Amino acid sequence: MTNIIKTEDSSKTLLGFWVYLMTDCVLFASLFATYAVLQNNTYGGPSGKQIFDLPNIFIETILLLTSSFTTGLVMLAVKKRNKNTVLLWLAITWVLGALFLSLEISEFRSMVLAGNSWRSSAFLSSFFTLVGTHGLHILAGLLWAGVLAFQLATKGFTENVTRRLHLFSLFWHFLDIIWIFIFTIVYLRGTL
Amino acid sequence: MLANIFGKLTLKAVQHGPIIAVAQLTMLLGVLSAIGLLFYLKRWKWLWKEWLTSLDPKKIGVMYIVVAVGMLLRGTTDAAMMRAQQSMSVGTSNGFLTSDHFQQIFTAHGTIMIFFVAMGLMFGLLNLVVPLMLGSRDVAFPFMNSTSFWLYVGGAVLINLSLVLGQIGATGWLAYPPLSELAYSPGVGVDYWIWSIQIAGIGSLLSGINFIVTILKMRCKGMDLMKMPIFLWTVLGSMSLVAFAFPILTATLAMLSLDRTLGMHFFTSDSGGNAMMYVNLIWAWGHPEVYILILPAFGIFSEVVATFSQKRLFGYKSMVWATAGITVLSFTVWLHHFFTMGAGPNINAFFGIMTMVIAVPTGVKVFNWLFTMNHGRVHFNTPLLWFFGFIATFTLGGVAGVLMSVPAIDFQVHNSLFLVAHFHTMIIGGVVFGYFAGIAYWFPKVFGFKLNEQLGRYAFWCWTIGFLTAFVPLYILGMMGATRRLDHYDASMGWQSLFIVAGVGVLIIGLGIAFQVLQMIVSIKQRKSNLDITGDPWNGRTLEWSTSSPAPFYNFAILPEVHDRDAFWDMKYGSSKSTKSTNYTNYTDISLPKNSSAGIFIATFASLFAFSMVWHIFWLGILGIVGVLVCLIIRLSDDETEYIVSAETIAKNESINLSKKATH
């Protein structure tokens, strides 16, 4: 990746973005810790086992992992300075991310409609907040990818655009890693 | 219909008792007269172009300090009201404040002093000094820096607005649930508290990232990590703590506000919520926060002691390791804030021992400072006076702290005025004195003239004596069983005389502040006779003194190269004496960031969003979020964010400075 961005400016931004990702990591760590403390406080309501729909979550996971792979393909195309290929894989990444998000929203919706909203128990509050915060990050990522695609289409591979594509790929992989933790700690441990 | 437009906001929000009405009117008149004055002097354009939209860290630093001093005046007024109430409200007399109002005052006092005074002074000093000391022209992300500042201002505006529209929480400065939950605090006070801190806190987080990258990536040639001045090490430690602690605060405040606005149950007393989780999380942020504030103060004292002893800092390496040690250990002591939670003897013992351990590196520092002065040529200027005040009070407070680290003793004094006295000793005697020393020390670098020494001395003595008069009685009262946050007590307790003494102490501190204001006015009036023409008024040791005073907007005409820890001292007296005088005319073009108003707009929309969350104004919330995003995208679409200062301009500017020096 080192040959994608070279200048001194970019190395500052890269370090700054890594530090930002670590701060985001701490944010998620706080939410995970809260979830770990509150997960059994169902207050007579359902536990994770009763409401998690594992096949659905499995599809979400596959979608997000695939989108991480396609982000890798975006970066390969950036390396070759191939604009159309970048836009194509970015679009595919976007669609996969959007599908993930819509599945997550429909999962939340069906839970709420079944009477298990975030108001029902401390467990559900922490569940919706942890998973929802990840979802909000995905939403921000989608917005970012859209703006980047527009900038790439109009400006080409300027230094700023190239650097931001690189940062975006870091962000997206980071969200993937967080999701793996959510999948394991919330869904797998909750149902198995 | 009105509920759609204004949410919960009604005319009732402005109607309070006569005391608040006076405060409201004062604030309103203050704002109006400031606006009027700007119109009268036709300074709007100047203010906007030269200051508000500037990305120059020196100007941002000055603005931070101006806001922080304004907030200091408000915070001190709150303190004075509390002590006045406690001196009067005995037995049958109920003083002049209602319980609810008293509770709001101590909440506002704590919140303002920590988030808007201490943090503001700290980031102000960092902005003024860090790039100069690094031998650099700017921070890593100048635009982000301005956004951080304006988010801080947004938070400050919001917390002041709570006095005019609505109220502040009556929950104390950390708003423990379940009291701060909707069931027990149904008003908007806690929401104001949450959102003003949330916004300012995100600004601090961004600043933390900014300064970490600045220090790691923008050191001048030859300055490897072990050649950095200690101040930069302490800032690096402090900012690393910001990066690791502030996200916890963000998450915790978000969860509390989700409880309050969406009816979640993180910390409620029903539906399985766990209030102690909040207390753990808030202190996992809160204890590092103490060190975030004190570490830069340690750094300032390290520079001040070495400079005014005209001697190299004693034990540089042990200082670095002590700083690193404090940085790491500060995350292992948070539970000592609530030993009484009942976590069990083993957990309490662990945190008790860690609390004792963290006092060790601090002790190392104290001895290093004292040894630095040993055999030094000590000059008793105001910055060094603040250091003496600090050593005396901070050691006193530190000993009280180690005392309380024993859980069995802590059970006795928990929540008492003994604790209040302890942390005020640390924060006033440590943090505030440190920042005052820093301001007196670096003032000439920023403005080009020194502060009046005489009045500075008066201020120092008033602060020190006032501080002891105000807080030693609180140690005693705490031992006598007086709990904190009392607005009324029985005459048979025999506490009144001590409370009166403490109140007198606050008055003496107030006199100290008056001297500081006077010092500023007199110094500006007599600036001609206190000019700093050489750029090196104290015979300094570090790079900031190698450029002219006031530092030019590009900081250094030619970026310095250093060969020694005390780089400037080395240039003046050391082996690399020759390198400083190399070719003054060999200037090159410099690129600097253009002004940007995007930070102001982003912070304005963020504050609107926060305001809408307080009052549940739906449309304004959406406007706020969309506004932030649009401003951000516009700014990020701009590729021409820098401008070039030509070599000729620099040559011209530098020759003026040189001729000034020559004629002197």
Side-chain angles (χ1 to χ4, degrees), chain B residues 546-590:
Chain B
S546 70
T547 189
S548 52
S549 292
F553 58 96
Y554 45 80
N555 283 5
F556 301 95
I558 297 169
L559 287 180
E561 189 181 339
V562 306
H563 306 281
D564 189 80
R565 202 177 290 147
D566 291 336
F568 184 48
W569 190 266
D570 181 51
M571 287 171 190
K572 286 189 289 190
Y573 307 110
S575 50
S576 36
K577 203 171 170 180
S578 52
T579 53
K580 201 213 159 192
S581 51
T582 45
N583 217 343
Y584 270 120
T585 51
N586 199 7
Y587 301 119
T588 48
D589 290 354
I590 296 174

Side-chain angles (χ1 to χ4, degrees), chain B residues 276 335-352 400-419 478-483:
Chain B
M276 281 325 288
L335 197 126
H336 71 209
H337 294 270
F338 44 96
F339 279 140
T340 51
M341 173 172 84
N346 289 336
I347 291 177
N348 279 0
F350 172 80
F351 282 94
V402 175
L403 193 72
M404 283 190 293
S405 73
V406 180
I409 296 178
D410 182 79
F411 269 64
Q412 291 301 311
V413 289
H414 182 83
N415 228 18
S416 75
L417 284 176
F418 187 87
L419 165 87
M479 293 300 230
M480 290 163 77
T483 53

Side-chain angles (χ1 to χ4, degrees), chain B residues 486-504:
Chain B
L486 271 185
D487 67 303
H488 184 78
Y489 49 90
D490 200 81
S492 62
M493 293 296 190
W495 295 339
Q496 190 178 21
S497 48
L498 282 168
F499 271 119
I500 291 173
V501 174
V504 171

Side-chain angles (χ1 to χ4, degrees), chain A residues 8-9 11-17 19-20 22-24 26-27 30-31 33-34 37-38 41-43 118-130 143-144 147 151 155 158 160 164, chain B residues 139-141 205 208-209 212-213 216-218 242-245 247-252 255 258-259 261-267 270-274 277 281 629 633 635-639 642:
Chain A
E8 192 202 345
D9 236 27
S11 91
K12 279 190 287 190
T13 319
L14 199 58
L15 175 65
F17 200 77
V19 180
Y20 153 69
M22 291 306 102
T23 64
D24 222 6
V26 178
L27 184 102
S30 315
L31 296 176
T34 311
V37 169
L38 300 179
N41 297 8
T42 52
Y43 201 64
W118 51 81
R119 290 166 176 271
S120 308
S121 70
F123 154 66
L124 283 167
S125 298
S126 62
F127 165 78
F128 276 104
T129 306
L130 172 59
L143 192 69
W144 189 6
V147 174
Q151 287 190 340
K155 294 179 180 178
T158 62
N160 278 342
R164 284 171 197 158
Chain B
V139 293
F141 310 113
L205 183 56
I209 296 173
I212 289 176
V213 178
L216 290 180
K217 287 277 180 186
M218 296 182 75
V242 168
F244 282 102
I248 309 178
L249 177 71
T250 309
T252 313
M255 287 189 266
L258 284 170
D259 273 3
T261 46
L262 292 184
M264 289 199 183
H265 294 287
F266 283 107
F267 314 122
D270 60 342
S271 301
N274 186 340
M277 189 61 202
L281 283 170
L629 289 174
I633 292 171
R635 166 71 194 185
L636 292 180
S637 304
D638 184 0
D639 290 325
E642 297 198 329

Side-chain angles (χ1 to χ4, degrees), chain B residues 29-247:
Chain B
L29 282 178
V31 171
L32 283 179
S33 55
I35 292 175
L37 200 67
L38 281 165
F39 270 117
Y40 179 73
L41 298 169
K42 298 200 172 98
R43 281 304 185 102
W44 276 108
K45 211 172 169 185
W46 166 83
L47 188 71
W48 182 257
K49 282 181 80 170
E50 291 294 317
W51 288 92
L52 304 187
T53 60
S54 173
L55 299 194
D56 182 346
K58 296 181 287 299
K59 290 189 171 166
I60 291 176
V62 171
M63 290 193 287
Y64 259 117
I65 292 177
V66 168
V67 178
V69 168
M71 296 303 276
L72 175 69
L73 296 179
R74 164 138 193 233
T76 313
T77 313
D78 287 338
M81 286 170 82
M82 283 188 280
R83 286 289 169 269
Q85 166 78 7
Q86 286 174 325
S87 316
M88 296 177 207
S89 175
V90 191
T92 50
S93 157
N94 279 313
F96 66 112
L97 297 172
T98 60
S99 291
D100 182 58
H101 191 187
F102 184 82
Q103 286 157 5
Q104 289 186 41
I105 290 175
F106 67 64
T107 306
H109 169 77
T111 312
I112 285 174
M113 287 301 200
I114 294 291
F115 289 95
F116 299 105
V117 178
M119 291 298 273
L121 288 178
M122 178 185 78
F123 280 122
L125 283 166
L126 258 52
N127 269 292
L128 294 181
V129 182
V130 168
L132 280 164
M133 220 181 221
L134 285 167
S136 141
R137 295 206 170 99
D138 210 330
V139 293
F141 310 113
F143 161 67
M144 200 163 94
N145 195 24
S146 141
T147 311
S148 296
F149 167 69
W150 286 107
L151 286 172
Y152 160 78
V153 174
V157 167
L158 216 55
I159 204 157
N160 280 313
L161 198 62
S162 73
L163 190 64
V164 182
L165 282 179
Q167 78 265 32
I168 184 95
T171 50
W173 80 286
L174 284 183
Y176 280 9
L179 176 61
S180 58
E181 292 286 356
L182 206 57
Y184 306 104
S185 298
V188 293
V190 178
D191 299 299
Y192 265 120
W193 178 84
I194 289 174
W195 284 100
S196 68
I197 295 177
Q198 188 70 293
I199 286 192
I202 289 169
S204 305
L205 183 56
L206 294 177
S207 279
I209 296 173
N210 207 341
F211 281 106
I212 289 176
V213 178
T214 306
I215 293 177
L216 290 180
K217 287 277 180 186
M218 296 182 75
R219 277 165 287 139
C220 68
K221 221 172 156 189
M223 188 185 280
D224 52 44
L225 284 175
M226 289 312 268
K227 284 203 186 88
M228 286 200 310
I230 279 292
F231 178 67
L232 295 176
W233 269 109
T234 57
V235 171
L236 187 61
S238 160
M239 293 300 112
S240 310
L241 289 178
V242 168
F244 282 102
F246 269 78

Side-chain angles (χ1 to χ4, degrees), chain B residues 372-540:
Chain B
T372 304
M373 285 195 292
N374 186 25
H375 287 295
R377 209 175 283 262
V378 182
H379 296 260
F380 289 82
N381 293 75
T382 345
L384 199 70
L385 287 184
W386 288 116
F387 169 74
F388 287 133
F390 155 81
I391 280 288
T393 53
F394 194 78
T395 314
L396 174 83
V399 170
V402 175
L403 193 72
M404 283 190 293
S405 73
V406 180
I409 296 178
D410 182 79
F411 269 64
Q412 291 301 311
V413 289
H414 182 83
N415 228 18
S416 75
L417 284 176
F418 187 87
L419 165 87
V420 171
H422 159 69
F423 72 71
H424 279 87
T425 317
M426 304 318 261
I427 292 195
I428 296 179
V431 176
V432 176
F433 282 14
Y435 296 169
F436 285 164
I439 290 172
Y441 180 53
W442 284 305
F443 190 87
K445 185 46 67 191
V446 183
F447 293 101
F449 57 95
K450 289 198 256 186
L451 285 173
N452 184 300
E453 275 285 322
Q454 189 77 40
L455 289 166
R457 247 166 249 264
Y458 293 163
F460 162 76
W461 284 112
C462 287
W463 265 95
T464 310
I465 295 168
F467 166 76
L468 290 172
T469 320
F471 289 96
V472 171
L474 296 200
Y475 279 111
I476 303 166
L477 280 167
M479 293 300 230
M480 290 163 77
T483 53
R484 67 196 295 197
R485 295 166 176 170
L486 271 185
D487 67 303
H488 184 78
Y489 49 90
D490 200 81
S492 62
M493 293 296 190
W495 295 339
Q496 190 178 21
S497 48
L498 282 168
F499 271 119
I500 291 173
V501 174
V504 171
V506 175
L507 290 180
I508 303 177
I509 292 179
L511 195 62
I513 296 179
F515 275 125
Q516 283 172 310
V517 174
L518 193 66
Q519 180 193 32
M520 201 55 78
I521 296 167
V522 170
S523 305
I524 292 173
K525 277 198 160 171
Q526 300 176 343
R527 64 184 177 280
K528 292 263 157 54
S529 53
N530 281 322
L531 281 186
D532 168 28
I533 290 165
T534 58
D536 181 21
W538 319 113
N539 198 5

Side-chain angles (χ1 to χ4, degrees), chain A residues 145-166:
Chain A
V147 174
L148 269 181
F150 177 76
Q151 287 190 340
L152 180 65
T154 50
K155 294 179 180 178
F157 289 101
T158 62
E159 195 201 313
N160 278 342
V161 171
T162 321
R163 186 184 63 233
R164 284 171 197 158
L165 280 166
H166 188 85

